[in-house]
Amino acid sequence: MEPVALVTGGGRGIGAATARELARRGYRVVVNYHRDRASAEAVAAETGGTAIRADVRDPAEVAALVAACGPVTALVCNANIDPSFGPVRSLPWEAFIGKVEGELAAAYHVTQAVLPDMPEHGRIVYVSSLSADLTRPMTGAHTTAKAALDAFARHVAAEASPVAVNVVAPAAVRTEGSSAARTPEVEAALAGRSVLGRMVEPGDVAAVIAAVADGSLPAVAGARIPVDAGFRVLAAP
């Protein structure tokens, strides 16, 4: 039977690149989306998969999504919860906890829904961020949320055996949305701070996610894998 991969937030950026890569590796891909139906359906058409709308923060919608998938062999938790930026001293609690709670809910509900019927050789990949390791002004909600996601993933990895659970943590990625928000000068500066002298692209991250998700790295479990073009090597301590 054709293995099923569920990619949350699969309509754009890293999620879309991951859906394409997993389809190339023989998966029937379910492209989950929340708002951008057109992009998700385009990716589904390209990959021969299915686009299904669900807010993965909502357990009832997640239950319907997973029921439509059938048993999931590879789960990629990539749904992006928009962060609120601002200094901790003035950022409203509602904005702060909205990011943290949303990030965890998006991973928690779909993990709980998928695990009971996931085969023993199943794989779960959580898409985190290198920002969980960094302290940058105005990003407290985002970095706290990603650090919490990393901690959650470690517990799932410990409890879900023999399912292998891992985290992929990219640095700044050049996507449609991020490129619109960054000037060429900012992107050049980010590239200059990496060993490889370039930005990370969605396909770079997707290749690592897919290698972990399809069992090409069978002994990798409970790991957090950075995809940063060597950014950490040159980052100030």
Side-chain angles (χ1 to χ4, degrees):
M1 181 180 292
E2 191 177 27
V4 175
L6 169 59
V7 182
T8 67
R12 297 188 297 171
I14 293 170
T18 300
R20 295 184 187 103
E21 183 62 31
L22 288 171
R24 281 194 289 269
R25 296 179 184 224
Y27 284 82
R28 176 173 67 84
V29 179
V30 176
V31 181
N32 160 252
Y33 71 97
H34 184 205
R35 292 188 293 263
D36 192 346
R37 177 178 177 178
S39 293
E41 289 184 343
V43 174
E46 181 182 346
T47 60
T50 307
I52 301 179
R53 184 200 174 280
D55 181 346
V56 288
R57 296 168 296 184
D58 184 316
E61 293 191 27
V62 167
L65 168 66
V66 173
C69 293
V72 173
T73 303
L75 169 63
V76 179
C77 291
N78 176 68
N80 179 48
I81 309 303
D82 292 335
S84 295
F85 294 104
V88 172
R89 65 190 300 168
S90 59
L91 186 68
W93 170 248
E94 291 77 12
F96 181 89
I97 198 61
K99 170 61 177 175
V100 176
E101 183 178 26
E103 192 84 25
L104 291 175
Y108 187 89
H109 296 309
V110 72
T111 299
Q112 273 200 336
V114 161
L115 272 176
D117 295 320
M118 182 170 268
E120 290 188 356
H121 61 282
R123 299 287 189 273
I124 300 176
V125 182
Y126 298 99
V127 181
S128 184
S129 172
L130 189 67
S131 64
D133 300 333
L134 305 174
T135 303
R136 296 288 185 267
M138 316 291 281
T139 64
H142 178 66
T143 58
T144 301
K146 291 301 185 182
L149 177 63
D150 291 348
F152 172 72
R154 289 196 299 273
H155 285 277
V156 179
E159 296 176 10
S161 176
V163 171
V165 179
N166 293 284
V167 172
V168 172
V173 180
R174 180 158 45 201
T175 65
E176 305 97 316
S178 67
S179 291
R182 297 188 191 120
T183 65
E185 293 76 18
V186 169
E187 291 201 341
L190 288 170
R193 292 164 62 189
S194 73
V195 168
L196 299 182
R198 70 176 183 87
M199 292 283 293
V200 176
E201 304 288 345
D204 298 324
V205 186
V208 177
I209 293 171
V212 175
D214 78 349
S216 295
L217 305 174
V220 177
R224 182 175 181 267
I225 305 170
V227 184
D228 66 354
F231 177 88
R232 292 176 309 149
V233 174
L234 301 182

